[in-house]
Amino acid sequence: MTIDPYEALNLTSAATEAEIKKAYRRIARTDHPDLNPDDPAAEARFKAASAAHDLLKDPATRARFDRGEIDADGAQTAARSYYRDAAGPGDGYSRGGFAGAGGGFDASGTDPEDFFARFARGAGRSRGDPFGSGRLDMPGQDHRYTLSVPFLDAVRGARTRISLPDGGNLAVTIPEGATDGLTLRLRGKGGPGVGEGPAGDAYVTLSVEEDAQFRREGDDIRSTLDVGIDEAVLGAKVPVRTIDGEVLVALPRGASSGRVVRLRGRGVRRRGADARGDHLVEVRIVLPPEIDDDLRRFMEDWRKTHAHDPRDRKARP
């Protein structure tokens, strides 16, 4: 039995798009089959949540479901006229024909096979007679997966594989600049079709891992650069790790903690464009682990002749 998509995500029909996404990601991180290989119940919850998210994430599809135009599987709901067309006496039958929601259907002089072919039209493409003794061609089932992706693989792009329950694997190309929650569609990589029906598709939703050094803000990358007190005072060329590798950055003299140095074009490539975002490096001054006598005496002498109150807002540049 198909579960109501809102129920599968522990939500109500009043849920916002953000709440739907958050609920799906929470379930994916706790009930994914890769994390629960011997727990059929967790796998069932994950599959139900994946199907629900796929249906509700698109506002147009969600609206059709809420109106009852499609069911929880995304299939078109059967027109009510089908029941009434096939009803017997007392259920809308008249001598002139069958009363349907979209108008009358005249049965007089009509080949019965034509009528039943119309009745079965939504069940797949059948070969042979319309009563189902011929071959039925239907597309295969879509499969859904969640893939945990390292931060740098998401921003730089990568190729990887998903291990499948049957022992096989599925090749996945992660596009450059991929974002958390992005769903990739792999055509024909789902379940096999019935008869001559095409194979289903595989949908892979990316869960981008956090990085210890980098943070992403849109197409920009942010990181923190630790510098010594001498480098901050005198200026220096210091190595900075970017998503493309290490580069030398000229740190200006007198750089205070919190100062941001912008490395243009060192961020994430914008989708569908050659341009890239920037890398924003925030300076953080780190004192030596031990203050020796030389540094202490120097600072004491300096303080006597160079009064400076860092908390004086008027004195700030």
Side-chain angles (χ1 to χ4, degrees):
M1 180 179 66
T2 302
I3 302 176
D4 178 90
Y6 294 110
E7 180 182 345
L9 296 173
N10 296 318
L11 298 173
T12 68
S13 59
T16 65
E17 292 183 35
E19 290 172 335
I20 290 172
K21 179 180 179 181
K22 183 177 180 180
Y24 167 68
R25 289 177 60 188
R26 182 178 61 251
I27 295 173
R29 287 173 177 168
T30 57
D31 295 335
H32 193 280
D34 288 348
L35 303 176
N36 305 274
D38 301 319
D39 189 347
E43 181 178 1
R45 289 192 298 269
F46 170 74
K47 289 183 176 180
S50 296
H53 177 257
D54 193 51
L55 181 76
L56 300 177
K57 67 180 180 180
D58 178 35
T61 305
R62 178 184 178 183
R64 293 188 64 201
F65 172 77
D66 291 342
R67 292 194 298 266
E69 297 175 4
I70 57 176
D71 60 21
D73 292 322
Q76 185 79 27
T77 55
R80 294 179 180 177
S81 60
Y82 280 147
Y83 170 76
R84 296 194 61 179
D85 285 349
D91 290 317
Y93 174 80
S94 64
R95 183 177 300 274
F98 297 83
F105 170 66
D106 186 4
S108 61
T110 301
D111 185 344
E113 291 190 358
D114 291 341
F115 168 71
F116 286 107
R118 286 180 56 192
F119 186 86
R121 192 169 292 167
R125 179 178 299 174
S126 60
R127 299 294 183 90
D129 72 82
F131 294 93
S133 60
R135 186 175 67 204
L136 185 66
D137 297 331
M138 296 183 67
Q141 183 179 7
D142 292 340
H143 292 170
R144 294 175 174 82
Y145 307 93
T146 297
L147 176 62
S148 182
V149 181
F151 182 90
L152 290 178
D153 284 353
V155 298
R156 296 191 300 207
R159 292 184 179 182
T160 187
R161 290 183 177 273
I162 296 177
S163 296
L164 303 180
D166 61 4
N169 57 73
L170 185 64
V172 179
T173 298
I174 301 169
E176 186 176 5
T179 55
D180 185 63
L182 175 68
T183 298
L184 308 177
R185 181 182 184 183
L186 308 182
R187 295 183 182 275
K189 298 300 183 180
V194 177
E196 295 184 359
D201 298 331
Y203 292 88
V204 181
T205 299
L206 305 183
S207 178
V208 179
E209 301 171 0
E210 294 184 355
D211 189 88
Q213 185 167 356
F214 299 121
R215 305 182 303 279
R216 182 171 177 176
E217 296 180 356
D219 295 323
D220 292 336
I221 295 291
R222 277 189 173 270
S223 66
T224 301
L225 174 64
D226 291 340
V227 300
I229 187 172
D230 57 319
E231 294 173 324
V233 172
L234 303 175
K237 287 189 176 181
V238 292
V240 174
R241 181 173 173 242
T242 72
I243 61 174
D244 298 317
E246 193 174 273
V247 297
L248 282 177
V249 173
L251 184 69
R253 289 188 299 176
S256 298
S257 286
R259 179 163 184 168
V260 175
V261 178
R262 182 182 295 271
L263 307 181
R264 297 192 180 278
R266 291 283 182 176
V268 183
R269 189 176 303 280
R270 297 187 175 95
R271 297 289 297 275
D274 292 332
R276 295 176 57 169
D278 300 331
H279 187 143
L280 307 177
V281 183
E282 182 177 341
V283 175
R284 182 173 63 181
I285 299 174
V286 180
L287 296 179
E290 294 184 8
I291 306 300
D292 59 25
D293 290 341
D294 289 341
L295 179 58
R296 180 181 55 80
R297 283 193 296 266
F298 171 80
M299 294 307 302
E300 288 175 347
D301 293 341
W302 184 88
R303 184 165 57 182
K304 293 176 183 178
T305 57
H306 298 78
H308 170 64
D309 183 1
R311 293 165 293 281
D312 184 0
R313 296 181 178 274
K314 295 180 180 180
R316 294 181 183 180

